[in-house]
Amino acid sequence: FPLSLCPSLCCQCGVPIPPNPANMCVGCLRAQVDITEGIPKQGTVHFCKQCERYLQPPGTWIQCALESRELLALCLKKIKASLSKVRLIDAGFIWTEPHSKRLKLKLTVQKEVINGAVLQQVFVVEYVVQSQMCEDCHRIEAKDFWKAVVQVRQKTVHKKTFYYLEQLILKHRLHQNTLRIKEIHDGLDFYYSSKQHAQKMVDFLQCTVPSRSKSSQRLISHDIHSNVYNYKSTFSVEIVPICKDNVVCLSPKLAQSLGNMSQICVCIRVTSTIHLIDPRTLQIAEIDGNTYWRHPFNSLFHPKQLEEFIIMDINRVHEKKKGAGAGARSNKHTLAEAWVRKTSELDTDHQYFCCTHLGHILNPGDLVLGFDLANCNLNDEFANKMNPQHIPDVVLIKKSYNRSKRQRRRNWKLKELERDREATDTDDERQYQDFLEDLEEDETIRKNVNIYRNADIPVESDTDDDGAPRISLAEMLEDLHISQDATGGEGAEMLT
């Protein structure tokens, strides 16, 4: 037999073994030499509960999922210096209960020992997860540390535009970087830890609603040695003071530039532009923020000045001759001529004649909300200069439905921004209900909003349907509900 195949005896215990340079069996070799000596078997990792990130020394916080490659690399870096003396063959996680605050790593290493013999050994390193709040979360919790603020204002009574803007911010997650959101009587303040996040919000607002902005900054501190300046920046964003369902009076120059529209128009929608319609001709136009600030106009009426009318007679006008230079007309509305009477004047024979763009939904006997221009004093620069014959007696805005019935069968809901409120106004609830009704009536606005199904309200049958617009189930999203686990808590704190 070749000499290399002849069995030899271990020099320690005398067990026959294959020949090796150490002339010892594996058990005796491990008893004599520990290749894991000097490698720490315990350690700590720091975890922020608020943002669910781990600390990577010296000061970097990274997002890692449990048993991920990123978390494994972070744990190995903590013992990297000790592993330089051995050869790492394999590394992996041993399963631990997520609530145990423990991470266990199973490592396989090799090292050359006595007379060139290579020994392989498997051992476990246990890490304790300690909670530590990161600097970013410290600033958020403090609520006083901010470097930039975006002040959004709209000089109007109704908050329809703000409710719409709130849903857009939630849908596009623009509120995630805010330190604090504060609500005041005519707008919102968004506080940020960096000027870049504030500038991103300003850019979003200018693309979403017709507005204008200006910025300023205030010097807080200055290091003369390193030439570092610390500023607090303020961005002021002013939204046009026009809301949905407002009656406006355009300047003669602006009305002519929009295709010879009537100066008295109705705002049917406010998105990135102001959408106007002429109730006498169905002519529509869009006005962006720059055009509005060059030719500003105001709302003629307060929302509380809406009056209820009843349709006595209505005739739909199928063909209307276009005037010279007239612009596009709306295909979603129907022009009609109506005789109406105020519900507060049913004991009289006084009726009003008007043209309306709501001919597709109005019938004799229906209730409709509108503004009475015949019996009011218009305090407006452009309206006072108009020919009285060109001012309509009544402008109809929208059909009236039973509000309490609509609220009972509304099986959907919206999310809201978490914000600090100065005081709750009793009129806010009415304005919010107006906005919810606008979502039901206007499909165009509804497409830009995330609507969630409210499982607490059952779906009613259509037996008592009064024709009020409703949102279909196909347009609703299922809200995410996180149920409690078997331990009684709200789930593992380290899970992402």
Side-chain angles (χ1 to χ4, degrees), residues 309-328:
F309 296 84
I310 185 170
I311 302 295
M312 307 304 296
D313 189 18
I314 186 169
N315 296 316
R316 292 168 178 82
V317 180
H318 298 287
E319 293 185 4
K320 181 81 172 180
K321 185 178 180 181
K322 280 189 176 184

Side-chain angles (χ1 to χ4, degrees), residues 180-297:
R180 180 189 180 193
I181 302 176
K182 183 179 179 182
E183 180 179 352
I184 59 175
H185 66 282
D186 60 347
L188 294 171
D189 290 344
F190 298 87
Y191 294 89
Y192 295 91
S193 59
S194 67
K195 185 178 179 180
Q196 290 76 14
H197 291 156
Q199 185 64 56
K200 184 178 180 181
M201 172 60 83
V202 173
D203 296 339
F204 174 78
L205 293 175
Q206 290 181 336
C207 296
T208 305
V209 290
S211 59
R212 62 180 176 181
S213 65
K214 59 181 180 180
S215 61
S216 62
Q217 57 184 10
R218 179 164 56 96
L219 180 64
I220 303 300
S221 62
H222 173 214
D223 188 351
I224 59 175
H225 300 288
S226 58
N227 202 27
V228 174
Y229 293 83
N230 184 20
Y231 290 98
K232 278 192 174 182
S233 302
T234 301
F235 295 88
S236 178
V237 179
E238 183 181 359
I239 303 175
V240 296
I242 303 297
C243 291
K244 184 180 184 298
D245 297 336
N246 283 166
V247 177
V248 299
C249 183
L250 308 179
S251 64
K253 184 177 180 181
L254 179 59
Q256 183 180 9
S257 65
L258 296 177
N260 291 327
M261 289 183 68
S262 298
Q263 289 184 244
I264 303 294
C265 297
V266 178
C267 176
I268 57 174
R269 193 181 303 114
V270 177
T271 55
S272 58
T273 57
I274 304 173
H275 299 256
L276 299 177
I277 188 169
D278 184 355
R280 304 174 109 180
T281 61
L282 295 187
Q283 187 173 334
I284 55 176
E286 295 184 14
I287 300 176
D288 58 8
N290 294 330
T291 304
Y292 175 84
W293 299 117
R294 288 198 303 268
H295 307 280
F297 52 87

Side-chain angles (χ1 to χ4, degrees), residues 8 11 39 48 93 135 159 163 172 196 250 257 280 290 318 329 340 448:
S8 59
C11 64
I39 302 176
C48 179
F93 283 100
E135 293 182 0
K159 298 182 179 180
Y163 290 133
H172 296 279
Q196 290 76 14
L250 308 179
S257 65
R280 304 174 109 180
N290 294 330
H318 298 287
R329 290 184 179 180
V340 297
N448 301 328

Side-chain angles (χ1 to χ4, degrees), residues 86-123:
V86 296
R87 182 183 178 188
L88 182 63
I89 301 300
D90 188 26
F93 283 100
I94 300 176
W95 185 87
T96 55
E97 176 65 32
H99 298 83
S100 64
K101 298 286 187 178
R102 298 292 186 274
L103 299 175
K104 291 185 177 181
L105 266 64
K106 182 180 179 182
L107 305 181
T108 303
V109 295
Q110 287 182 353
K111 185 179 181 181
E112 184 177 334
V113 291
I114 304 173
N115 298 327
V118 177
L119 182 63
Q120 180 171 307
Q121 192 169 342
V122 179
F123 66 102

Side-chain angles (χ1 to χ4, degrees), residues 50-67:
Q50 276 73 13
C51 59
E52 298 183 346
R53 293 186 299 174
Y54 292 88
L55 175 62
Q56 179 176 308
T60 305
W61 293 84
I62 59 175
Q63 197 88 23
C64 300
L66 283 178
E67 300 188 1

